[in-house]
Amino acid sequence: MSVLKILPDIYSVGVVDWDVRNFHGHTYTTKRGTSYNAYLIIDDKITLVDTVMGSFTAEFIENIKQIIAPEKIDYIIANHVETDHSGALPEMMRLCPKAKIFGTAKCREGLYKHYYGNWDFQEVKTGDKLKLGKKTLNFIEAAMIHWPDSMFTYCPEEQLLMPNDAFGQHYATSERFDDEVDQCALMDEAAKYYANILWPLSSVILKKIEEIQKMDLPIKMIAPSHGIIWRKDPAKIINAYISWAKNETKPKVAIVYETMWGSTGKMARKIAEGIIQAGISTRIFDVAVTDRTEIIREMLDTRGFLFGSSTHDNDMLPAMAGFLELVRGLRPKNRVASTFGSYGWTGGAAKEMEVVLKEAGIDIASGGPSFKYLPDEREMKACYEFGSDFAKIIKGG
Ligand code: FEO
C-alpha cells in the first residue's frame, strides 16, 4: 500500500496483504485478502495509531520512513492487542525506545503476555484525552469489540474515528476510500466480517454505538484497521452495524445440508421448491463443498434456516457438525430453524442437530421431514409441503 495523506497531517501507513486466504486460524476465509491499516499523525507529538502484522514489519517501517524517521515517534496508540495490529510493535519499540504506548488496562496486560516488553505504557479510559499539539485524541474503551482490550480513538479536530477492527472489512485494494471501490463488494465484505467475527457480540456493539451517539461526536471519517476508509458516507456502515446488531432479518431462507448418497440433497431441493413457490427467496448450500464464511455471511440477514444431514453413526455428518459448532457460537437471534434428512436403519442426525440449535438459542419449527433411504413420491410431496409451511412461518415474520 502506498503511503497516503488521508487528512491534514494524518497519513495511512499500513500494508496490504493480497495473499492471505485464512484468518483467525482457519475459521474465516479471506478470498479478497485484507489490509492492516495504521495511521501516522504529524504534530508536536508524533503519534502512530496501531501497527501491522509482524510479517509486514519491514514494509511498514519503510512506509513510515517516507514521512518521518521512525525514531521520532513520541506516542503509539495501541487500540488492540491482536497480533495483526501489534505484530510490528516490538520492532517499533526497538527503533524508538522512548515512545510511550497508550491503551486500556487490558491492553497493557495483553501486550505484556504477547511480547514481554518492558515498555512505557500509559493506561487510558473512556473520556481520557491526549493533546498532541494542534490535534487531540480522545479514547473510548470498546471492550469485546472484539477483545477485552479493544479501544476506539477519536480525533475531534478532524472528526476522525479510528475504531480498529470495528467497521473493517477483509478487502485488499489499491484504493483507500469507500467512494473508490465497488459498493457491492465493499458491503459484502463488511457484512461477511460482521457475520463471522462480530455477530455474537451484537448486544455490546449496539450499546457502544448508542454510547457514542450520546457523546455527540461528529464523525466525518471512519478509518478502521482493515480494508477501506469510510469518508463518503460513514453513516452507511454505522447504520448497517445497527441493523446487523439488532438482528434485523429479511424474509429469506438458507438451506444448509450435507448428504451421503444424495437423498438428503434431493430433499433439500424439494423443500426449496415449496419455499420458492410461496415467494420466499431461498439459497441452498452443500456445507461439505461450500465456503463456511460465505454461508454465514448469507445467514446474517436471513430469517429462516434449514439444516439437513444424512444420519451417520447415529449422528449428523462431520461437515455439518463443524458448521453447527460455528452457528452455536454465533448465537443468532430472531430466527426460526428446522432440520431434515434421510437415514438408513435408524435416525439420529435431526435430534443431534436440534440439540445444537437449542444451545444456540434458535427457535425450532416442528415437522422437519426425516425419511428412510431414498424418499418415495409421497415423501417428496411431504418435503414440498414442509417447504410451503415453513415459508408461511417466515412470511409471518
Ligand atoms: Fe484485526 Fe482483532 O484483529
Side-chain angles (χ1 to χ4, degrees), residues 231-265:
R231 73 171 172 190
K232 183 178 173 225
D233 188 9
K236 181 176 181 177
I237 189 64
I238 294 172
N239 290 334
Y241 264 50
I242 291 170
S243 173
W244 296 330
K246 285 182 173 171
N247 271 279
E248 290 177 349
T249 59
K250 297 188 176 93
K252 303 193 295 180
V253 173
I255 301 177
V256 184
Y257 78 95
E258 184 172 9
T259 193
M260 188 184 290
W261 291 112
S263 292
T264 299

Side-chain angles (χ1 to χ4, degrees), residues 23-24 80 82-85 146-147 164-165 170 193 225-226:
F23 221 79
H24 286 161
H80 183 26
E82 199 163 9
T83 52
D84 50 331
H85 309 294
H146 67 123
W147 276 22
N164 196 265
D165 278 327
H170 287 311
Y193 186 99
S225 60
H226 295 292

Side-chain angles (χ1 to χ4, degrees), residues 29 104 108 118 130 135 168 181 186 215 233 283 302 310:
T29 59
T104 62
R108 180 205 285 266
N118 185 25
L130 179 65
K135 298 186 202 302
V181 296
L186 171 61
M215 288 177 183
D233 188 9
R283 299 286 180 274
T302 294
S310 318

Side-chain angles (χ1 to χ4, degrees), residues 85-389:
H85 309 294
S86 69
L89 187 59
E91 181 60 12
M92 288 308 302
M93 293 311 290
R94 197 187 64 75
L95 289 173
C96 37
K98 290 191 179 149
K100 179 180 276 201
I101 304 171
F102 295 80
T104 62
K106 287 284 183 194
C107 180
R108 180 205 285 266
E109 183 189 321
L111 284 180
Y112 186 76
K113 280 300 292 172
H114 277 76
Y115 305 110
Y116 298 94
N118 185 25
W119 299 327
D120 184 6
F121 189 103
Q122 185 169 325
E123 288 179 15
V124 292
K125 294 189 172 66
T126 298
D128 288 350
K129 295 178 180 7
L130 179 65
K131 193 79 189 152
L132 307 183
K134 293 190 193 73
K135 298 186 202 302
T136 316
L137 296 179
N138 300 357
F139 302 113
I140 304 165
E141 291 166 275
M144 297 320 298
I145 308 175
H146 67 123
W147 276 22
D149 52 84
S150 298
M151 179 175 85
F152 297 174
T153 296
Y154 176 74
C155 176
E157 292 80 6
E158 303 299 341
Q159 301 181 1
L160 167 68
L161 182 68
M162 292 172 280
N164 196 265
D165 278 327
F167 309 116
Q169 335 89 47
H170 287 311
Y171 188 19
T173 54
S174 52
E175 297 75 28
R176 290 286 73 225
F177 295 106
D178 53 349
D179 50 290
E180 298 173 326
V181 296
D182 178 83
Q183 295 302 296
C184 291
L186 171 61
M187 290 313 291
D188 182 48
E189 290 304 332
K192 200 183 301 174
Y193 186 99
Y194 188 95
N196 285 273
I197 299 176
L198 300 172
W199 196 351
L201 308 164
S202 289
S203 60
V204 181
I205 288 166
L206 205 52
K207 274 193 202 136
K208 186 56 60 182
I209 291 175
E210 284 166 5
E211 180 190 325
I212 291 173
Q213 286 173 333
K214 277 185 196 144
M215 288 177 183
D216 206 18
L217 305 176
I219 295 173
K220 203 159 70 180
M221 183 182 285
I222 299 176
S225 60
H226 295 292
I228 66 86
I229 296 168
W230 306 89
R231 73 171 172 190
K232 183 178 173 225
D233 188 9
K236 181 176 181 177
I237 189 64
I238 294 172
N239 290 334
Y241 264 50
I242 291 170
S243 173
W244 296 330
K246 285 182 173 171
N247 271 279
E248 290 177 349
T249 59
K250 297 188 176 93
K252 303 193 295 180
V253 173
I255 301 177
V256 184
Y257 78 95
E258 184 172 9
T259 193
M260 188 184 290
W261 291 112
S263 292
T264 299
K266 208 170 154 187
M267 292 170 71
R269 288 184 289 279
K270 188 53 79 177
I271 292 168
E273 274 181 37
I275 301 170
I276 294 164
Q277 191 61 36
I280 295 290
S281 179
T282 303
R283 299 286 180 274
I284 306 178
F285 303 99
D286 177 348
V287 72
V289 296
T290 311
D291 183 340
R292 293 181 306 197
T293 300
E294 300 291 337
I295 303 175
I296 288 169
R297 183 263 173 271
E298 177 65 25
M299 288 166 68
L300 179 61
D301 63 352
T302 294
R303 189 170 301 154
F305 305 153
L306 292 174
F307 298 102
S309 175
S310 318
T311 292
H312 178 258
D313 291 343
N314 302 322
D315 207 333
M316 66 189 104
L317 287 167
M320 178 59 77
F323 184 75
L324 284 183
E325 192 57 36
L326 287 174
V327 172
R328 172 164 42 196
L330 295 172
R331 300 191 65 79
K333 301 208 168 27
N334 307 333
R335 321 285 159 149
V336 183
S338 193
T339 62
F340 65 94
S342 77
Y343 58 90
W345 43 103
T346 183
K351 185 169 142 269
E352 295 303 324
M353 287 190 288
E354 286 183 12
V355 167
V356 183
L357 294 176
K358 278 181 192 152
E359 286 172 0
I362 302 174
D363 290 340
I364 300 174
S366 59
S370 185
F371 296 127
K372 188 165 186 164
Y373 293 129
L374 276 75
D376 60 21
E377 199 175 324
R378 180 188 58 80
E379 290 165 334
M380 287 297 275
K381 188 164 175 284
C383 287
Y384 182 91
E385 284 165 359
F386 170 71
S388 304
D389 292 343

